[in-house]
Amino acid sequence: MITFLASIALLILGYVIYSKIVEKIFGADDSIKTPAYTHSDGMDFVPMSWWKGNLIQLLNIAGTGPIFGALMGALYGPVAFIWIVIGCIFAGAVHDYFSGMLSLRHKGEQFPNLVGRYLGNSMKAFINILSIVLMILVAAAFTASPAQLISSITPLNFTVSLLIVFAYFILAAVLPINKIIGRIYPVFGAILIFMAASIGIALIFSGQTLPNLTLDNLHPGELPIWPLLMVTISCGAISGFHATQSPIVSKTLKKESDGRKVFYGAMVGEGIIALIWAAAGMTFFGGTGGLQEALATGGPAGVVNEISTSLLGTLGGLLAILGVIILPITTGDTALRSSRMMLSELLEKIIHLKGKAQVLLVTALVGVPTFLLANIDYSFLWRYVGWTNQLSATIMLWTATIFLLKYKKFHWICGIPALFMTGVSGTYIFYAPEGFQMSYNLSLAIGTAITIIVTFWYIVKIIQSHKRKNQSNTTAA
């Protein structure tokens, strides 16, 4: 109980204290007009209040990630609390803030263009492909999972359910952001918050003993914590998918100071949701062994339904259904929307179309493969999201690091988590079942070698930055 409550308190303190430090280092300036006004188009660039932006951002980045991912991460034991708290405050929320604010400063640019500005055109080309593939995979996975549930609880078959979900995705991708997303997302965001808060409160007063972090129960399983936990729990700690979603909301901010409440704040909110579900998973089934059996029997959706219904009764069952259907849909639609934006930027010099014609054509280009992939098993799709997701997060953190170096700001706030995530991504791909499936020790050695090489590159960049600073000072003198 103490560990759980202390973890939530630390996340709140992280927002109250560390987010202001991050904002000050970035240099948020309300005298700068935001793209919502300078590029207003009635489609993507539409001014919105910060609280709407916060709820939209929360739904865009969350989906079922901080629920399903946290439940899977709970199998690692109370060490999951440590990763969620530290990862969220010092890596994930910083990552989300910079991905949103750099987009804001650069006229609402998408993730690949931001990478190109600070890491070069070669990395831009790579991340263009990587991020569009990630968006299509996420959109496909989040089309399939709610369609499967709809078909299981209604007379509709899977194909019809899939078509209904996908039709909504297309509408959300092509209509102005304030027509669907801006109107219904705040309601869905409130449902997500209410659902998590209800589970947390019911859990505290359920009479069950929430696990406390001790050396004896730090990690009861056999799987290595590093780097598997950092990939299993991404939403709630750090997720590269968020870098593709933040530019959607950056186009709607009225002033730069709203960025801290929207980007950093939404990530902390997601961290709290992940903490609640991780605690519920560890507690409700009498430990990680019971949780593993429940996951094997009913999957994450079944576990969510059982916990919600048992703790909250009929209301809990309703919330569970709403959560497992609505949340992936509200992430899948913006994944399709952001892939449409990315491809538009990529093809703008090739396809000389403007307005609705361009939107419809580019949506079709990303929509067709999304629909075809949605017919593949959800669990298979999701396996390939994990590493792609965390590699994207690593690249975004390095983009922010180079930005801070360029403008002679305190770059370590992004550089240290970037090095950490380099180690995670570099080790995971060689060890994971969907990767090269090498032995753990060999994977660890390769991941360490990659991190050392990147560290030397970082040191060279720091030295070059100091030389430019000294040359500027000499010239000025």
Side-chain angles (χ1 to χ4, degrees), residues 229-295:
L229 177 61
M230 291 76 194
V231 177
T232 303
I233 301 181
S234 53
C235 292
I238 178 171
S239 169
F241 174 70
H242 299 185
T244 67
Q245 300 303 290
S246 295
I248 294 176
V249 181
S250 76
K251 295 176 173 65
T252 71
L253 296 192
K254 293 182 176 181
K255 54 185 179 179
E256 287 199 349
S257 60
D258 286 344
R260 182 176 70 89
K261 292 173 279 190
V262 171
F263 302 119
Y264 202 104
M267 184 61 213
V268 168
E270 187 185 61
I272 292 173
I273 292 168
L275 272 175
I276 289 169
W277 282 102
M282 290 178 220
T283 305
F284 189 81
F285 298 97
T288 56
L291 173 61
Q292 190 164 22
E293 289 179 12
L295 286 169

Side-chain angles (χ1 to χ4, degrees), residues 67 203 254 280:
I67 301 175
L203 196 64
K254 293 182 176 181

Side-chain angles (χ1 to χ4, degrees), residues 20 24-25 27 36 73 121 124 138 153 325 365 369:
K20 291 180 180 178
K24 186 175 181 181
I25 290 170
N121 288 329
K124 176 184 176 181
V138 169
I153 62 175
I325 292 177
L365 290 176

Side-chain angles (χ1 to χ4, degrees), residues 431-454:
Y431 181 65
E434 65 271 26
F436 295 102
Q437 301 180 31
M438 295 182 179
S439 70
Y440 180 68
N441 288 336
L442 180 57
S443 302
L444 191 61
I446 296 173
T448 302
I450 291 171
T451 306
I452 290 171
I453 292 169
V454 174

Side-chain angles (χ1 to χ4, degrees), residues 27-268:
D29 184 355
D30 284 346
S31 68
I32 300 174
K33 275 195 171 183
T34 64
Y37 295 107
T38 60
H39 290 69
S40 179
D41 63 359
M43 178 68 180
D44 297 314
F45 294 86
V46 179
M48 287 187 186
S49 60
W50 72 263
W51 65 268
K52 274 192 177 181
N54 176 277
L55 289 173
I56 292 171
Q57 176 75 358
L58 179 61
L59 278 172
N60 286 358
I61 66 177
T64 52
I67 301 175
F68 287 6
L71 287 170
M72 298 296 291
L75 293 172
Y76 291 84
V79 68
F81 292 148
I82 298 176
W83 168 235
I84 292 171
V85 171
I86 295 177
C88 183
I89 294 173
F90 298 106
V94 173
H95 166 281
D96 288 15
Y97 180 81
F98 275 91
S99 63
M101 295 304 291
L102 286 178
S103 174
L104 192 71
R105 280 283 173 92
H106 295 296
K107 303 175 183 179
E109 280 186 352
Q110 295 298 116
F111 176 38
N113 274 8
L114 296 176
V115 171
R117 280 182 177 274
Y118 296 102
L119 297 182
N121 288 329
S122 297
M123 187 59 75
K124 176 184 176 181
F126 171 73
I127 204 66
N128 252 315
I129 297 170
L130 182 73
S131 54
I132 290 174
V133 168
L134 176 61
M135 291 305 91
I136 290 174
L137 283 171
V138 169
F142 284 169
T143 306
S145 62
Q148 287 172 354
L149 185 58
I150 290 171
S151 64
S152 69
I153 62 175
T154 70
L156 302 175
N157 62 33
F158 175 73
T159 302
V160 174
S161 301
L162 194 69
L163 287 170
I164 292 171
V165 173
F166 193 73
Y168 164 75
F169 278 14
I170 295 296
L171 283 175
V174 301
L175 288 176
I177 192 168
N178 60 336
K179 295 300 181 184
I180 292 182
I181 294 174
R183 290 182 179 179
I184 66 173
Y185 269 37
V187 177
F188 291 160
I191 291 172
L192 174 61
I193 293 169
F194 178 74
M195 179 185 183
S198 299
I199 293 294
I201 293 169
L203 196 64
I204 291 171
F205 292 100
S206 67
Q208 300 184 62
T209 303
L210 276 74
N212 284 318
L213 186 64
T214 66
L215 292 177
D216 294 331
N217 72 349
L218 182 67
H219 174 45
E222 295 180 359
L223 289 173
I225 295 171
W226 176 275
L228 299 185
L229 177 61
M230 291 76 194
V231 177
T232 303
I233 301 181
S234 53
C235 292
I238 178 171
S239 169
F241 174 70
H242 299 185
T244 67
Q245 300 303 290
S246 295
I248 294 176
V249 181
S250 76
K251 295 176 173 65
T252 71
L253 296 192
K254 293 182 176 181
K255 54 185 179 179
E256 287 199 349
S257 60
D258 286 344
R260 182 176 70 89
K261 292 173 279 190
V262 171
F263 302 119
Y264 202 104
M267 184 61 213
V268 168

